[in-house]
Amino acid sequence: MTMPLKILALGALAAALLTAAPAQGATTVLLSQNFSGGLGANERLSGNFSVGGGRMGHIAGYYRNLEYSYYDVKLDLTGMIDALFSFDFAGAAELGFDGWNLLGAAEGSPFDPSAPLIAQPNVHNRFVEALVAPGVTGVASGRATYDLTPFAGDVVNLRLRFASDHSITGSGVTFDNILATGTQKAVSAAPEPATWAIMLMGFLGAGAMLRRRATAVS
C-alpha cells in the first residue's frame, strides 16, 4: 500500500472510531424552586398551603382539623434515564395522626387516594424515601430526597400533601429549596447505515483515484 493510501486508511479509521463513540449523558436541572418569586406554570397549591417569606406550606400559622392541603408540580422526564427530587422541610404536627408525604403519578393517571400517609411513627431521620412513602409526622425537619427513576421517560405529576384528623393541631409544615435533576440519555453519534455506505464509497473512490494517479506517474 502506498503512503497516501495508508494515510487515507488511517484517517478513515480514526473518523469512524470518533463518530461511533456515544456522547455522555448530562445532568439537567429540571426544577429549582426557592419560592422567592412565587409559583411556576407547572406548579399549584390547594387547601391551606400558601407561599411567603421564601417558603411554601403553612405560612399563616396553625393547620386546621380535617385538613387536606397539597403542592402539585409537573416534571417532564422524557429523555431522562433517572431523576431525583429533593427539598428542605420543617414543622410540627400531631405525632402519628397528622403529617405529610409525597405521591407520584404518570401523566394521565390519577393519584392513588388509598396510598398511605401516616403509616408508622416519627421518621425524623428517614430522608431517602420511596415515592409512596410513610408520612413524616410529629416535630421533624431536614432534607428529603426521592428517587423518580421509575418515571424516567415520562411526564410525572408529584403531590406534596398534608392531612390532619379531627383532634389536636400544630404549626404545620413548610417546604423550601426544591430541586429536581435528571440524567439525559446518552446519544450515539454513530452514522446511519446509509451514511456509512456513502462514506465507504467515498473512501473507495478516493483510493481508486490515487492508484490511477500513481500508475500514470510511473
Side-chain angles (χ1 to χ4, degrees):
M1 183 181 290
T2 63
M3 184 58 67
L5 286 179
K6 287 182 179 179
I7 295 173
L8 180 63
L10 289 173
L13 178 60
L17 291 174
L18 287 173
T19 55
Q24 296 296 317
T27 299
T28 300
V29 175
L30 304 168
L31 174 68
S32 181
Q33 174 63 279
N34 60 14
F35 300 107
S36 60
L39 299 177
N42 291 331
E43 301 169 281
R44 71 186 182 103
L45 299 177
S46 182
N48 201 29
F49 277 1
S50 60
V51 172
R55 299 175 300 155
M56 178 273 295
H58 292 111
I59 304 301
Y62 276 61
Y63 61 86
R64 305 185 183 105
N65 286 322
L66 301 175
E67 179 178 320
Y68 187 83
S69 301
Y70 59 83
Y71 160 83
D72 280 356
V73 61
K74 179 187 294 186
L75 297 177
D76 187 353
L77 304 184
T78 56
M80 301 294 157
I81 60 174
D82 59 34
L84 292 175
F85 184 74
S86 60
F87 50 86
D88 297 329
F89 68 93
E94 185 185 9
L95 179 62
F97 296 94
D98 307 336
W100 62 269
N101 73 351
L102 180 71
L103 293 182
E107 181 79 337
S109 300
F111 292 109
D112 181 4
S114 65
L117 182 66
I118 305 301
Q120 65 180 31
N122 210 342
V123 284
H124 291 114
N125 298 317
R126 190 180 175 90
F127 298 149
V128 179
E129 307 284 355
L131 264 183
V132 180
V136 177
T137 181
V139 178
S141 63
R143 187 161 185 84
T145 300
Y146 292 80
D147 185 1
L148 302 184
T149 300
F151 296 101
D154 295 322
V155 176
V156 60
N157 293 310
L158 300 177
R159 173 167 291 180
L160 262 173
R161 62 174 186 162
F162 177 91
S164 64
D165 66 358
H166 55 81
S167 183
I168 301 170
T169 61
S171 60
V173 65
T174 58
F175 305 93
D176 196 5
N177 299 317
I178 293 178
L179 180 65
T181 60
T183 303
Q184 293 179 329
K185 291 180 180 178
V187 179
S188 175
E192 296 292 330
T195 305
W196 277 116
I198 294 172
M199 291 171 61
L200 181 59
M201 290 176 62
F203 293 149
L204 292 175
M209 290 177 62
L210 286 173
R211 283 196 297 272
R212 285 197 300 269
R213 182 175 180 182
T215 303
V217 171
S218 60

